[in-house]
Amino acid sequence: MLEPNTLGHVLTRSARLLNARVVAAVHAEGFTEVRDSWLGMLRHLDAEGVRSTVLAERLEVTKQAAGQLVSELERKGYLERIPDPTDGRAKLVRITERGLQAWLAGLQAFRALETELDSVLGAHLLTTLRDGGGALLAHLETLENH
Amino acid sequence: MLEPNTLGHVLTRSARLLNARVVAAVHAEGFTEVRDSWLGMLRHLDAEGVRSTVLAERLEVTKQAAGQLVSELERKGYLERIPDPTDGRAKLVRITERGLQAWLAGLQAFRALETELDSVLGAHLLTTLRDGGGALLAHLETLENH
DNA sequence: CCAGTTGGTAAAGGCTGTTTACTTATCGCG
DNA sequence: CGCGATAAGTAAACAGCCTTTACCAACTGG
């Protein structure tokens, strides 16, 4: 009815398919437990380790939510928690070797998808979407902060 | 770490903010029960009524999920179910007057946001995003069907 | 030193969806 | 016509991911 919020729909749906495709590729590499939500988490890790509170901020969820996700990934062997030498309360979340392999598989799958899309849709389209989407996002975020 | 699937991130996040903004505006108009997920449902209604199975297909969820959402919207008075005269098993889902008002409020809010974004980011950007995203989506969907 | 802040965990529950398992009505066809 | 296959819908359980509320333990600044 009454042509609708198509922009939101298009964005939501293509993002979902994009992620689903990457995850499927990672599954095919043998990491069958990986789920969509992990991508968001792994994006924010680094080699030195990150506190889960920082992850929570970056993901914009509560620290409990971040902690739950980290615990699950830890159980599955993709992450590990080590004590933070500079603060007795804190722990640093680090990616394991297995986690790194899965991440690399996903990265590779994304690159491949990217090249394929570029060749089919034109090399400029993905760049345009990324940059345009970035600009849109930036403005929407300033709106959020009143 | 290792620059990541930023495209997926940008798309997901801007879509979320976009919808959140529309929903907030609808709340401000007095329809405080409206939630994000309703937008997806309302987009697929028409005046004659639609079967919930059809809604499920369009939303790409199970018929149970569609049925649950319809039931909730029915309880809140935004939708109604009437028997389908052409099939004794089926019911037609129709929007009520109240539902229509809420929808129009959302539509208006979206139009306003659109004009604002156009004036800030340039009139071409939203069009580019919608069209480019549409092209991307179309291709991703052909990939899904092997 | 101690009041306040910060890092983190625990438990319960909300929201949106899925899976599994039906019931009932319609349709195609021998 | 009758009957098996299919389609519309409901019901119940539970998964995934997040939140709120409530804590504890360690750090920090005055």
Side-chain angles (χ1 to χ4, degrees), chain A residues 11-30:
Chain A
L11 295 181
T12 305
R13 186 148 167 66
S14 33
R16 261 190 22 185
L17 287 180
L18 219 51
N19 285 343
R21 200 134 197 99
V22 171
V23 169
V26 175
H27 283 188
E29 291 295 319

Side-chain angles (χ1 to χ4, degrees), chain A residues 38 41 68-79:
Chain A
W38 297 17
M41 173 119 285
Q68 284 173 37
L69 194 45
V70 168
S71 293
E72 190 192 345
L73 281 154
E74 192 182 24
R75 273 198 307 280
K76 302 284 172 59
Y78 292 86
L79 296 180

Side-chain angles (χ1 to χ4, degrees), chain B residues 3 14 17 19 29 32 40 44 46-48 56-57 59 62 79 83 85 96 107 117 123 129 132 135 137:
Chain B
E3 99 268 30
S14 33
L17 288 179
N19 285 342
E29 291 295 319
T32 53
H44 294 294
D46 54 42
E48 308 90 60
E57 283 168 17
L59 293 170
T62 59
L79 296 181
T96 61
L107 196 61
L117 289 172
L129 281 181
L137 182 52

Side-chain angles (χ1 to χ4, degrees), chain A residues 98-109:
Chain A
R98 176 170 171 73
L100 187 59
Q101 293 311 316
W103 173 251
L104 290 177
L107 196 61
Q108 191 183 338

Side-chain angles (χ1 to χ4, degrees), chain B residues 51-72:
Chain B
R51 294 188 188 174
S52 68
T53 355
V54 174
L55 289 174
E57 283 168 17
R58 294 190 188 161
L59 293 170
E60 304 190 331
V61 297
T62 59
K63 54 187 183 174
Q64 293 89 328
Q68 284 174 38
L69 193 46
V70 169
S71 293
E72 190 192 345

Side-chain angles (χ1 to χ4, degrees), chain A residues 85-127:
Chain A
T86 76
D87 189 329
R89 298 163 301 176
K91 297 168 190 170
L92 295 176
V93 177
R94 253 188 356 194
I95 196 164
T96 61
E97 183 55 31
R98 176 170 171 73
L100 187 59
Q101 293 311 316
W103 173 251
L104 290 177
L107 196 61
Q108 191 183 338
F110 180 66
R111 297 271 182 255
L113 181 56
E114 226 174 7
T115 11
E116 183 198 337
L117 290 172
D118 273 348
S119 81
V120 173
L121 302 172
H124 62 289
L125 200 145
L126 254 53
T127 322

